[in-house]
Amino acid sequence: MNKLVILFAAVSIALTSCNTTKESTGSNDAPVVEGTLTQGKVTYSMEFDSDDPDIKSQMSMMGEMTRSTTFIEGMLREETSSSMFSNLSVFDLNKGKVMMLMDVPMMDMKKGGFTTVDEMKEKMGGSDDAEKPETNVNRNKKKTIAGYECYQVTITDAEGYVTTMWVTDMIKAPRNPQYDRGEESEEEIGFPMYIEIEQEQIYIIMEASEVSDQVPADAFKMKLPEGYEEATPEEIMQMMKRGGGM
């Protein structure tokens, strides 16, 4: 069970921080999109691997996993789902409000809670004194993913882990405020279409498989679904840090 907790935690935390090494095989043959997308939904396929045999064996239990980001101006919805768990965060950036949901069927647990952007950044964010990651933007290295022209960005953290991303400037979505520390960036980084993550002996590849300009009317509804138990902001954020509250 401890191995599964590590797996849940790595997926829940590493993905939202937008990170094995494997070239993208995705949608390079798709027609190149023209124009900028300012609202819509991007769906990602995900692959996993691990050097730890125990963790690797647990991965087969998770089944197919998907990740999606839905956005309009001032609103953001991020969702990760599999047969074992799902989590959802909805951000109203205009009002500074956040709703988070966690569903773990194997534990018969559905919990959700509300917080503010400021509280979330304070409780889930890193220390202001933490060493900032090193970011390298290579606009000369390009490929097309899901019809969008992308360039390469690599990020190396204080522990030496390297995150490789392919990003596009043709999708303009709000940034997850949890990772907006307010520091000035030397160069604006585009929207991620491909991410390679290495964390806690787990390797994750996430690649955009579908891009739509359609946004469901209820995508940003700030109301707990029926059957969810309301948790305090502290409980829901601790649950997400621990990968499902186990």
Side-chain angles (χ1 to χ4, degrees), residues 10 58 95 113:
Q58 301 268 4
K95 297 180 179 179

Side-chain angles (χ1 to χ4, degrees), residues 37-89:
L37 186 69
T38 57
Q39 69 171 50
K41 179 179 181 179
V42 180
T43 303
Y44 300 86
S45 61
M46 299 174 65
E47 298 179 22
F48 300 86
D49 201 357
S50 176
D51 295 331
D52 186 314
D54 292 335
I55 295 179
K56 194 167 185 175
S57 66
Q58 301 268 4
M59 289 178 176
S60 61
M61 299 170 56
M62 300 184 70
E64 181 180 359
M65 181 175 288
T66 60
R67 172 84 172 175
S68 66
T69 297
T70 306
F71 58 93
I72 60 175
E73 184 177 358
M75 305 290 286
L76 181 67
R77 174 188 175 112
E78 296 190 333
E79 187 170 9
T80 304
S81 61
S82 75
S83 60
M84 294 190 69
F85 82 102
S86 65
N87 60 50
L88 166 67
S89 298

Side-chain angles (χ1 to χ4, degrees), residues 7 31 36 40 61 148 168 173 180 198 219 226 234:
L7 180 57
T36 300
M61 299 170 56
Y148 287 82
T168 181
D180 186 359
E198 177 184 353
E226 184 177 352
E234 291 77 11

